[in-house]
Structures are given as structure tokens and as C-alpha cells.
Amino acid sequence: MHKVTLIPGDGIGPEITKAVVKVVEAAGARIEWETVEAGACVMEEYGTPLPENVLDSIKRNKICLKGPITTPIGSGFRSVNVALRKELNLYANLRPAKTFKGIDTRYEDIDITVVRENTEDLYAGVEHMVGRHAAESIKIITSEASTKIAKFAFEYAKKEGKKKVTAVHKANIMKLSDGLFLECARQVAKDYSGIKFDEIIVDNACMQLVKYPKQFDILLCPNLYGDIISDLCAGLVGGLGVVPGANIGDDIAIFEAVHGSAPDIAGKNLANPTAIILSAAGMLKYLGEVEKGRKIIEAVEETFRKGRCVTTDLGGKATTEEFTESLCEKLVRL
Ligand code: NAI
């Protein structure tokens, strides 16, 4: 039995976490969920969107499955998602984008993993007003974090049998910050002679991804470019509803979908829970429950291949609950 912290989140979070709990159970995984709340819903009670009991639970269990949490735009509290990653030093954000047969996409057989540095860059949250009419956000890049994420990308490539790591940067303009990130990647690459290394400027990377995505395998990115590029990659494989993610540190990991709280469809039973379900499959693999994780992926693949019961974001008519039920039925048979 594994004890896992569960954060339902807000927006579509409660609907998709309810779905994932059912799916994990149908796969036969023995998980004891410890549910804790974070975000706007706890602000009044605790005076913070990230109360101590949430951090304590994750530190104790060392593993968490998390629904999306809304971040107010412009003013209000800082992102709980970013705070969790920084506070727990979850330095690697892993976002694999892979096509499924049966989902209508521009290209077939895409398999790109974005490895995103998760703790610094413009997301360090160091920003201030300079007088009333100017604002400064500071981009922080250190050789320690850059080397660590580059090593993570190459180790992941080795473990998963990937062939190539491409560092994404803008070192032609940000010569010091992106230059340092790139130099660290180059140094780390020297220790992995079996894996090809190359580099690409971020704007060209976007164009190449849209026109010739199959040239890419692992994209190693600083925080901001990784965030944007992983949504682009999600678009290549059917949208945000199908791309899982993980935030990984030395001994703690939080698994969550790439997408946000989707306020436009929240509470309508329309959300596609696939992304968080695939995130849970990754979590089971991380916990050593490889077979259970594989079963979930197989059931998802079968559902998309048959194409009859998919949610509206993928052109189907199924509700979140109908899709989940159909997946659970398959899992019980597998
Ligand atoms: P979003 O990812 O929530 O939504 C973008 C578009 O994709 C919307 O049209 C939405 O309906 C659709 N979409 C997203 N997930 C879907 C799903 N599972 N099924 C079907 N359609 C789906 O991005 P947005 O609107 O920029 O952000 C909303 C809020 O979420 C913001 O407050 C943002 O800060 C937060 N956010 C939280 C994240 C997290 O908790 N890790 C990650 C990204 C955003």
C-alpha cells in the first residue's frame, strides 16, 4: 500500500481527480489517498493558498498527485504551483507529448519529451516596480540548477532509450543567462557519448516544431521556454487534455497534468481527465507499480483507438464521467 497526497485543486480539478482516483482503483493499484486542499478555497481559513499541512503531507508521503490550481492574473497570491516546486526543490518538470492512434492530429508518431528546469529563470518571482511606470522581473539562471536539469535530461534519455537531447535557448540575445544554461548543457553532454546533443534557438524551435516535429526527441529547456513549448507540443498531439506531467526532485515528486484549471468548462462534466490519468500512470511507474501504470496506458490507448467514447475536446460526445466509466470497465477486463 502506498500513501499518496492528493490535492484536488480547483476549476476542473475536483472532477478530474475524482476520475483518476476511480481509474487507479480499477487498475488494481493499492493507494491510500491523503486529501489536502490548496488554492483560493483555503485562503480565508489559513490566510495563505499553500497551508503548512499541505507541505507537511507531501514531505511525509514524498509523493503527490495534484489537480490544477488557479493563479490570479496581475494581482493576488503568487502561483501555488510554482511555490510547491520551489519549496520542495522539484527541479525537473517532465512533460512527455505522444500521439495516440485515433486522436486526430496533424502528424502521426510524435514522441517528444520536454524536460523543463523548474525552480528559477523568470519564474523565480523576483519582480518589482521601478517607480509607477516601469516594472522589472529578474531572470535568474545558475550553473547549479542548469547542470542538474541537464544531467536529469541525459539520465532520463539513457533510462528511456531516447536518442537525442536538444537544448533550447536564446543565448544570442541573453548571452549571460541563457549562455550559462547552454554552456552547462554542453558540458554535461560530454559525459553521455551515446546520446546525440544539439542546440536550437527558441524561436526557430517553435517553427521547427510546427513544421518538422519528428526531428525532436528530448527538449531541454529553461523554465519559461519549457512552459510555453510544452503547450505547443500538447497542441501537436491533441491538446492539453492528453498530456501528463511530473515535477521531480531528489526524493519527492508531484504528478500533475500540464493543463490548468480550465475555468471555461469547470463544473460542466466536460473536462478530459486523460492528462491526469496518464500522470497517475507515470506516478505508479515511479512507485514501482510498473504493471499497473502500463495497464492504464493500454486502456487509454484502446479507448482512443476505438474512438467511440471520447470527450468533446477530442471531437467526441462523452462526459468526464462517461469516459472514466468506459476506461474503468476496460481496466477491470485487462
Ligand atoms: P488551461 O490549461 O486551464 O486552459 C486552456 C484551454 O484548454 C481552455 O480552453 C480549456 O478549456 C482547455 N483545457 C485545459 N484542460 C483541459 C481538459 N483537461 N479537458 C478539456 N479541455 C481542457 O489554461 P488557462 O486558461 O491559461 O489557465 C487557467 C488557470 O489555470 C490559470 O489560473 C492558470 O494560472 C492555471 N494553471 C494552473 C496550472 C497548474 O495547476 N499546474 C498549469 C497551468 C495553468
Side-chain angles (χ1 to χ4, degrees):
M1 178 74 86
H2 304 277
K3 198 165 181 183
V4 175
T5 300
L6 180 71
I7 305 178
D10 51 38
I12 59 171
E15 298 162 71
I16 60 170
T17 46
K18 193 170 150 206
V20 74
V21 166
K22 279 191 185 164
V23 168
V24 168
E25 196 185 324
R30 285 162 41 82
I31 302 286
E32 185 189 336
W33 302 102
E34 185 172 286
T35 305
V36 289
E37 302 283 351
C41 60
V42 296
M43 267 308 271
E44 203 171 307
E45 190 178 344
Y46 295 95
T48 164
L50 183 54
E52 274 305 311
N53 70 312
V54 175
L55 287 167
D56 289 346
S57 169
I58 303 173
K59 284 179 188 161
R60 208 171 38 244
N61 298 325
K62 309 227 175 297
I63 183 109
C64 170
L65 185 65
K66 178 186 156 296
I69 297 176
T70 304
T71 307
I73 293 178
S75 58
F77 60 79
R78 288 197 180 281
S79 166
V80 172
N81 312 303
V82 174
L84 275 171
R85 295 165 192 169
K86 273 183 73 178
E87 182 73 28
L88 301 168
N89 194 21
L90 306 177
Y91 61 89
N93 189 314
L94 197 59
R95 297 181 158 187
K98 209 172 164 187
T99 37
F100 286 98
K101 293 229 166 356
I103 296 186
D104 189 21
T105 52
R106 197 173 288 265
Y107 304 99
E108 284 174 3
D109 303 323
I110 301 286
D111 187 357
I112 301 171
T113 303
V114 176
V115 173
R116 163 185 169 197
E117 201 290 320
N118 221 8
T119 59
E120 50 184 35
D121 194 354
L122 279 161
Y123 286 40
V126 186
E127 54 177 9
H128 49 254
M129 294 303 294
V130 182
R132 278 181 54 225
H133 301 291
E136 258 178 19
S137 293
I138 299 184
K139 174 166 167 129
I140 294 169
I141 300 283
T142 65
S143 54
E144 190 189 350
S146 305
T147 301
K148 212 164 176 179
I149 195 67
K151 278 190 184 149
F152 181 93
F154 278 96
E155 282 300 319
Y156 180 80
K158 208 160 91 177
K159 196 165 78 190
E160 298 292 324
K162 305 275 182 189
K163 305 268 178 295
K164 186 166 83 169
V165 172
T166 305
V168 181
H169 66 92
K170 188 82 186 172
N172 51 331
I173 304 296
M174 280 159 280
K175 294 183 193 298
L176 297 184
S177 53
D178 279 20
L180 181 60
F181 181 85
L182 183 59
E183 189 47 37
C184 292
R186 286 176 182 159
Q187 291 306 322
V188 170
K190 289 182 184 159
D191 296 333
Y192 295 86
S193 54
I195 298 161
K196 195 168 178 282
F197 173 71
D198 65 6
E199 342 176 324
I200 189 164
I201 294 176
V202 63
D203 32 2
N204 183 28
C206 292
M207 191 275 288
Q208 296 286 337
L209 274 165
V210 172
K211 285 201 84 169
Y212 312 107
K214 288 186 195 178
Q215 64 183 295
F216 296 113
D217 194 351
I218 290 184
L219 294 173
L220 167 62
C221 305
N223 207 339
L224 175 65
Y225 310 148
D227 195 6
I228 297 167
I229 280 195
S230 53
D231 271 34
L232 198 166
C233 291
L236 289 173
V237 299
L240 286 168
V242 295
V243 178
N247 303 286
I248 299 175
D250 285 332
D251 63 346
I252 297 181
I254 298 182
F255 291 78
E256 64 177 336
V258 167
H259 63 71
S261 55
D264 51 337
I265 55 166
K268 296 183 178 158
N269 202 11
L270 287 176
N272 182 354
T274 304
I276 198 161
I277 289 169
L278 294 174
S279 306
M283 179 190 84
L284 291 173
K285 191 173 166 194
Y286 177 93
L287 287 170
E289 301 277 356
V290 179
E291 188 51 28
K292 308 277 185 335
R294 193 198 51 74
K295 256 175 86 171
I296 292 178
I297 293 170
E298 215 177 289
V300 170
E301 281 172 349
E302 194 187 317
T303 305
F304 289 144
R305 210 170 35 242
K306 295 197 169 149
R308 280 192 293 272
C309 185
V310 295
T311 43
T312 50
D313 56 314
L314 299 176
K317 291 199 174 79
T319 62
T320 312
E321 282 169 358
E322 285 163 351
F323 175 82
T324 307
E325 282 315 312
S326 137
L327 211 55
C328 291
E329 278 166 26
K330 285 192 184 71
L331 277 166
V332 173
R333 276 191 284 105
L334 280 172

